[in-house]
Amino acid sequence: MLAYTLKRLLAGIVTVWFIATATFTAMHMVPGDPLMNDKAVSAEIRANLERKYGLDKSAPEQYVIFMKNMLSGDFGISFTQQNRQVNDIIRDHFPVSATLGIMAIFFATIGGVLWGALTALYRNRLPDIIIMFLVILGISVPSFVFAALGQLLLVNINSLFGASIIPVAGWGTFSHMLMPSMVLGLGTMALLTRLMRSSMLEIVNEDYIRTARAKGLSPSRIFFRHQLRNAILPVITVLGPQIAAITTGGFVVELVFAIPGLGRYFVQAVQQLDYTVIMGTTVFYGAFLVLMVILVDILYGFIDPRVRLS
Amino acid sequence: MKYLLFLIALWSAITSAQAPVTSADFENQTISIALTQEPPQLNGMKATDQVSNFILPHIMEGLVRYDRRGRIVPGVAHRWEIDPDGMGATFWLRENALWSDGKPVTANDFVFAWRTTLAPKTASEYAFILFPIKNAEAANKGNAKLTDIGVTAVDDYTIRVELERPTAYFIKLTAFATYFPIREDFFNSRGDSYAADAQDLIFNGPFRLTEWVHSASLKMEKNETYWNKEKITLNQINAAYITEDSRARLNLFIDGKIVHTRLDGETYKDALTQKQRIRSFSTGSIFFLEYNHREGRITDNLNLRRAIQHTFDSDKFVNNVLATPGNLAAESLFPVWLQGVEDKFRKEYPAAVAVVDQELAAEYLAKAKAELGIDEFPALILLSGNTPTATKQAEYLQGLLKSRLGLDIKIDKQTFKQRLAKMTSGDFDFVLAGWGPDFDDIMTFGDLFASWNLNNRGRYSNPSYDELVRVALNNVDPKTRMDAMAKLQKIIHDDAVILPMYEQGVIYLMNSKVRGVVRRVVGPDPDYTYSRVIK
């Protein structure tokens, strides 16, 4: 178990190093100039700016410096937010994205598991058809549409009551988080519903279910003890990457709901060619994703005793 | 668990409903607004973007400032004098101008700020705006000492400025954010983190920045140490939201959370259906098609440019393509708001207008082909931004030039930074470009196509143009300067240096309870300094 964990962690570190190197290379190959702005600057100012950000050195030299700093946990200062450390940006804004992401995952898992189980129980009957139709909508409609619609819904609810029942945007209280986290979790919820449904359907016909029925167990006991517990495994598998995807992929939702999360920095940094922020956020998210995958694998062993970690 | 969660949700919904927050609060004289972006930093020496240039003049004050009507009025300086030869100026500072910690604003605060901005290691992108000061440009390039720069504190309350050349608009420049004072001891105590957070700043303007939650909100409160605080009615400006999404901002406005939002082509339609009162305002910026004048480029051919000039109809473009209120047809590099000798420049010196004439255009095109020695034009590259607005404009031009002149246009859509890189390296035939004013003088546009101007990305070069710019730069007499600019306006037309497309207007919604908000072409826009909330 310990050896397995260590092995996975080591492989994880190599993965993160690879992510960092690939991002660094790709970033420098993207055309465009991070120091260029609306107003052209003289060669002297340009040279000073380059020196400040270490861009006067060759790419391999920059890579070595970057790797050295990264090992000591320093990603440098942002190009666009000139006085802010990239570390500060991650520290200030990741908790926001994480909170939003955890709530979204919460909605998605509860919803996905319940809807999935429900559709399996009502297979090919009306509830199944309706829910599966909604699931396809949830998977195929992009989140910016849901975000805009969700916000519009709140505006209409508020104007109906003539007071601000639920805030339409912003961050701070629990009520601020409701709509954005639901919108953010919608896609994952749809995915999990489908996954849960198919895995439930597989299990319904298993021998041990028949045995359980033959033993005279109550349907609810069969459902919770035998069906749900076994069917949930594939859900756990995708949950790891989904957690990472949700906590990092909230860019649109963060933009529409004016939420100060890290997702905005992640995407805007690429648009603005903010080298240090690109590297900082990508490496951070990469490490986060790798960690989640490892955690899920380890968790597997606890949920399903048949899985031996070796 | 779920039940509990539901209760929490219900409870928080109820509590938030109990404490309604209105965007315009009469009792507390408080307004809420949304910003489109987080200010990159609020260091006046380095600010280049619109959001910083909106916030800074609310919390800082320069030697002079703009009043409601856009006229120059005293700021920290209560009096100033320009030398008769225009080669220098003296400012007398008021003694009751204080920093937010109670210490007086002194001459040295300005001297320090200007010198530090010009220091090569500061690498300020706006250092050029200080260049009229003697030795400023040299110091910025490292060829002169910072102490050689022509600004000195005669005593605590007197500033003497020597200029490089007679600069007619120097006083107006001192209202700009780059000219704001910074106190040396405070700046040094903060080191690299100066202006990175609310507590890393001190203020001498009408408001203080009391809270700055990064990419979430900024709060400005009335500055009790401001010398002219009696004139300030608002107690608080709360920038409670930061989002680039214009639809989100419209929703916030409709929900009564913010007092102002700018509309774009899409949200404009929604606002119309919502029966909102839509207002418009001209930003004073000009948008144009810039040609690549580098040698060997097809667009270097004058007759080709003339053919395009006689094809494009700015009126039609504004009404049918942009199709939102507020934009004006463009006829010149100089927008209509610029001041001339006594009246507006464009009234005193009307611009020549090229008539739309297909036959004439065809003649010019034939001449161009003959001169270039080609039968068919190769596909020409139109460089454009990747926003929906830019795309729409590029596609319109593509269609127009194809149908009227038979020119094949390839649209090269690029993100902001990549478009700039290509503009700078000259990798285009046409580019959709624009220019906004930095200060209230015709020169903010006039020198744009001077051969030495780095922002002249098409590399237009014409000795007579350069000469006219020099005349306007080196004279203080309004008539001489404006005459030169009128000649320059003619060159731009005759030489078809650019194709003026439109003068930009913006459409916006404003809560009708908020009065006295000033929309400005130069300076903070919108300016809430003298605004108030009515019942």
Side-chain angles (χ1 to χ4, degrees):
Chain A
M1 176 77 189
L2 189 70
Y4 171 81
T5 312
L6 282 177
K7 209 169 86 186
R8 289 299 306 267
L9 279 177
L10 204 69
I13 290 170
V14 175
T15 313
V16 173
W17 167 78
F18 183 77
I19 291 173
T21 309
T23 313
F24 188 91
T25 318
M27 182 176 83
H28 279 267
M29 274 160 58
V30 169
D33 185 332
L35 297 180
M36 214 169 251
N37 244 320
D38 262 334
K39 296 266 148 89
V41 296
S42 68
E44 292 82 8
I45 291 183
R46 166 94 207 172
N48 281 316
L49 282 170
E50 281 181 2
R51 218 173 4 257
K52 179 172 176 188
Y53 292 104
L55 295 182
D56 50 342
K57 300 193 176 64
S58 71
E61 274 178 285
Q62 287 181 45
Y63 176 76
V64 172
I65 294 170
F66 166 76
M67 279 296 162
K68 265 190 201 154
N69 289 341
M70 190 182 87
L71 287 178
S72 61
D74 177 16
F75 288 107
I77 51 168
S78 161
F79 281 46
T80 41
Q81 304 234 305
Q82 290 165 19
N83 292 333
R84 283 184 85 196
Q85 298 280 337
V86 177
N87 286 349
D88 288 347
I89 292 179
I90 295 175
R91 201 184 47 224
D92 289 354
H93 302 290
F94 178 66
V96 175
S97 289
T99 313
L100 185 67
I102 288 167
M103 287 204 37
I105 283 288
F106 184 77
F107 277 119
T109 332
I110 301 273
V113 169
L114 286 181
W115 295 129
L118 205 68
T119 48
L121 290 179
Y122 287 90
R123 187 183 182 189
N124 292 341
R125 280 151 67 194
L126 196 62
D128 182 29
I129 294 166
I130 293 174
I131 293 172
M132 286 321 283
F133 174 73
L134 292 176
V135 161
I136 290 172
L137 272 188
I139 289 176
S140 45
V141 176
S143 65
F144 65 84
V145 175
F146 282 128
L149 285 177
Q151 192 174 51
L152 200 62
L153 182 73
L154 292 183
V155 172
N156 288 332
I157 289 175
N158 288 348
S159 73
L160 199 68
F161 283 91
S164 225
I165 309 283
I166 301 175
V168 299
W171 190 249
T173 67
F174 184 77
S175 53
H176 281 109
M177 303 174 191
L178 281 175
M179 183 57 85
S181 56
M182 267 196 274
V183 167
L184 186 59
L186 222 52
T188 307
M189 189 194 287
L191 189 82
L192 295 184
T193 305
R194 222 166 53 162
L195 209 66
M196 191 66 194
R197 179 176 182 267
S198 59
S199 100
M200 277 290 277
L201 286 178
E202 244 171 65
I203 280 162
V204 171
N205 299 324
E206 290 284 338
D207 288 345
Y208 59 84
I209 301 289
R210 203 170 33 193
T211 315
R213 255 196 226 120
K215 275 200 301 192
L217 286 184
S218 71
S220 68
R221 199 171 159 83
I222 297 175
F223 178 73
F224 284 110
R225 282 300 283 271
H226 297 280
Q227 290 181 335
L228 205 58
R229 190 152 174 216
N230 280 299
I232 215 163
L233 270 178
V235 173
I236 306 267
T237 317
V238 296
L239 212 52
Q242 282 295 321
I243 288 175
I246 274 187
T247 40
T248 58
F251 166 64
V252 170
V253 173
E254 286 175 10
L255 195 68
V256 171
F257 290 97
I259 295 167
L262 194 57
R264 279 160 88 175
Y265 285 87
F266 189 45
V267 174
Q268 277 163 2
V270 179
Q271 290 165 350
Q272 293 160 340
L273 286 183
D274 190 337
Y275 282 179
T276 45
V277 178
I278 293 178
M279 288 313 297
T281 48
T282 315
V283 169
F284 176 77
Y285 275 146
F288 185 68
L289 176 72
V290 167
L291 201 68
M292 280 299 149
V293 173
I294 296 174
L295 268 181
V296 165
D297 283 354
I298 294 171
L299 211 63
Y300 237 67
F302 289 101
I303 293 177
D304 187 350
R306 287 170 302 181
V307 178
R308 292 271 168 273
L309 297 179
S310 55
Chain B
M1 179 63 196
K2 258 193 83 187
Y3 187 58
L4 186 74
L5 204 74
F6 175 69
L7 279 182
I8 296 172
L10 197 70
W11 166 78
S12 62
I14 290 165
T15 46
S16 70
Q18 273 172 343
V21 191
T22 46
S23 59
D25 184 342
F26 171 73
E27 296 288 313
N28 299 316
Q29 284 297 317
T30 298
I31 58 167
S32 294
I33 55 170
L35 300 177
T36 51
Q37 268 177 15
E38 156 104 340
Q41 21 95 2
L42 290 169
N43 180 351
M45 299 188 291
K46 297 177 116 182
T48 59
D49 64 297
Q50 277 193 336
V51 179
S52 308
N53 278 316
F54 156 72
I55 292 174
L56 274 167
H58 283 94
I59 57 176
M60 298 286 178
E61 186 173 60
L63 290 168
V64 300
R65 61 185 303 131
Y66 288 106
D67 74 354
R68 281 169 226 256
R69 293 192 188 146
R71 290 169 308 197
I72 289 291
V73 290
V76 175
H78 63 87
R79 190 163 77 85
W80 54 87
E81 246 174 51
I82 306 161
D83 297 1
D85 63 354
M87 292 294 285
T90 311
F91 296 87
W92 287 273
L93 276 51
R94 64 183 76 245
E95 296 187 17
N96 59 347
L98 302 176
W99 289 101
S100 48
D101 64 356
K103 291 189 184 164
V105 180
T106 64
N108 189 54
D109 301 336
F110 287 92
V111 175
F112 172 74
W114 298 3
R115 280 186 186 159
T116 315
T117 305
L118 287 166
K121 79 171 170 56
T122 307
S124 166
E125 291 170 51
Y126 255 82
F128 74 89
I129 209 148
L130 292 159
F131 284 179
I133 303 169
K134 194 174 173 70
N135 287 330
E137 191 167 359
N140 190 236
K141 292 190 168 158
N143 299 332
K145 282 187 290 186
L146 292 179
T147 44
D148 291 342
I149 298 168
V151 54
T152 38
V154 176
D155 58 51
D156 273 359
Y157 297 101
T158 315
I159 296 176
R160 173 71 198 158
V161 182
E162 309 291 337
L163 298 176
E164 194 72 45
R165 47 185 166 76
T167 307
Y169 50 90
F170 183 72
I171 302 298
K172 289 173 180 173
L173 286 181
T174 62
F176 196 78
T178 322
Y179 281 83
F180 288 170
I182 290 174
R183 209 171 74 204
E184 188 170 2
D185 62 326
F186 186 85
F187 181 84
N188 291 337
S189 73
R190 288 304 188 272
D192 278 346
S193 62
Y194 173 76
D197 271 303
Q199 72 273 13
D200 295 325
L201 268 169
I202 42 168
F203 319 96
N204 75 325
F207 297 92
R208 286 181 303 136
L209 183 71
T210 51
E211 200 182 286
W212 182 0
V213 184
H214 284 287
S215 72
S217 62
L218 287 93
K219 195 183 273 178
M220 292 183 266
E221 286 177 72
K222 186 174 175 177
N223 183 0
E224 292 303 329
T225 62
Y226 181 53
W227 63 271
N228 204 11
K229 67 174 180 198
E230 281 77 28
K231 290 275 161 60
I232 310 298
T233 317
L234 274 192
N235 282 326
Q236 208 182 93
I237 304 171
N238 194 359
Y241 307 91
I242 299 179
T243 178
E244 267 183 307
D245 189 72
S246 68
R247 195 169 295 278
R249 291 201 308 271
L250 176 64
N251 285 335
L252 282 166
F253 183 88
I254 293 170
D255 202 40
K257 286 291 187 294
I258 53 174
V259 296
H260 162 259
T261 185
R262 184 172 163 173
L263 303 170
D264 57 18
E266 272 180 57
T267 43
Y268 166 58
K269 287 173 201 145
D270 291 351
L272 274 183
T273 16
Q274 291 270 353
K275 299 204 167 58
Q276 298 284 345
R277 186 184 154 198
I278 294 165
R279 305 167 199 233
S280 73
F281 158 71
S282 179
T283 63
S285 299
I286 183 114
F287 284 78
F288 47 83
L289 185 70
E290 187 164 1
Y291 299 106
N292 195 342
H293 296 275
R294 286 170 179 81
E295 220 170 294
R297 282 278 173 178
I298 301 242
T299 38
D300 190 25
N301 185 286
L302 174 60
N303 284 313
L304 171 65
R305 299 200 302 268
R306 282 202 178 140
I308 296 170
Q309 198 174 30
H310 287 285
T311 303
F312 179 80
D313 185 339
S314 179
D315 268 320
K316 227 174 167 176
F317 177 75
V318 165
N319 293 323
N320 302 350
V321 182
L322 299 177
T324 50
N327 296 299
L328 298 173
E331 296 172 354
S332 161
L333 168 66
F334 301 122
V336 287
W337 62 272
L338 284 169
Q339 189 64 30
V341 183
E342 312 236 288
D343 201 348
K344 299 289 175 205
F345 175 82
R346 286 275 300 280
K347 269 193 190 155
E348 293 175 338
Y349 303 95
V353 180
V355 281
V356 178
D357 182 337
Q358 205 157 350
E359 277 173 35
L360 195 59
E363 265 175 48
Y364 278 124
L365 198 69
K367 267 193 221 167
K369 276 182 190 166
E371 280 169 4
L372 292 162
I374 49 174
D375 293 332
E376 280 302 318
F377 281 98
L380 298 172
I381 299 162
L382 170 58
L383 183 58
S384 121
N386 60 351
T387 61
T389 323
T391 309
K392 198 160 96 176
Q393 295 176 17
E395 282 168 0
Y396 171 77
L397 280 173
Q398 186 183 37
L400 181 81
L401 297 182
K402 177 75 190 167
S403 64
R404 297 285 166 79
L405 298 176
L407 291 175
D408 278 317
I409 305 291
K410 253 202 227 155
I411 296 173
D412 183 11
K413 228 196 276 188
Q414 295 289 348
T415 62
F416 177 67
K417 295 266 177 183
Q418 277 138 19
R419 187 175 66 98
L420 278 177
K422 286 198 158 184
M423 279 172 83
T424 310
S425 65
D427 192 2
F428 63 95
D429 291 304
F430 317 97
V431 59
L432 290 170
W435 194 252
D438 284 321
F439 48 92
D440 179 15
D441 184 82
I442 197 159
M443 196 41 76
T444 195
F445 289 94
D447 70 351
L448 185 55
F449 297 106
S451 58
W452 60 80
N453 193 325
L454 294 169
N455 292 305
N456 171 6
R457 322 248 186 186
R459 293 282 178 273
Y460 175 73
S461 175
N462 178 348
S464 0
Y465 186 109
D466 291 355
E467 187 47 42
L468 290 167
V469 172
R470 276 192 209 101
V471 170
L473 276 177
N474 296 322
N475 277 288
V476 281
D477 172 48
K479 181 88 172 76
T480 319
R481 299 183 72 226
M482 295 307 149
D483 282 350
M485 286 295 113
K487 285 181 196 151
L488 187 141
Q489 179 171 254
K490 192 166 178 329
I491 291 184
I492 290 175
H493 178 264
D494 292 350
D495 225 2
V497 178
I498 52 165
L499 180 73
M501 290 173 71
Y502 64 103
E503 289 187 27
Q504 189 196 35
V506 292
I507 39 176
Y508 64 99
L509 304 174
M510 181 67 78
N511 187 321
S512 54
K513 279 184 170 179
V514 185
R515 298 289 168 86
V517 181
V518 185
R519 302 304 308 249
R520 292 190 191 286
V521 166
V522 283
D525 175 59
D527 185 349
Y528 293 105
T529 311
Y530 303 115
S531 66
R532 63 193 191 282
V533 182
I534 59 160
K535 247 184 186 161

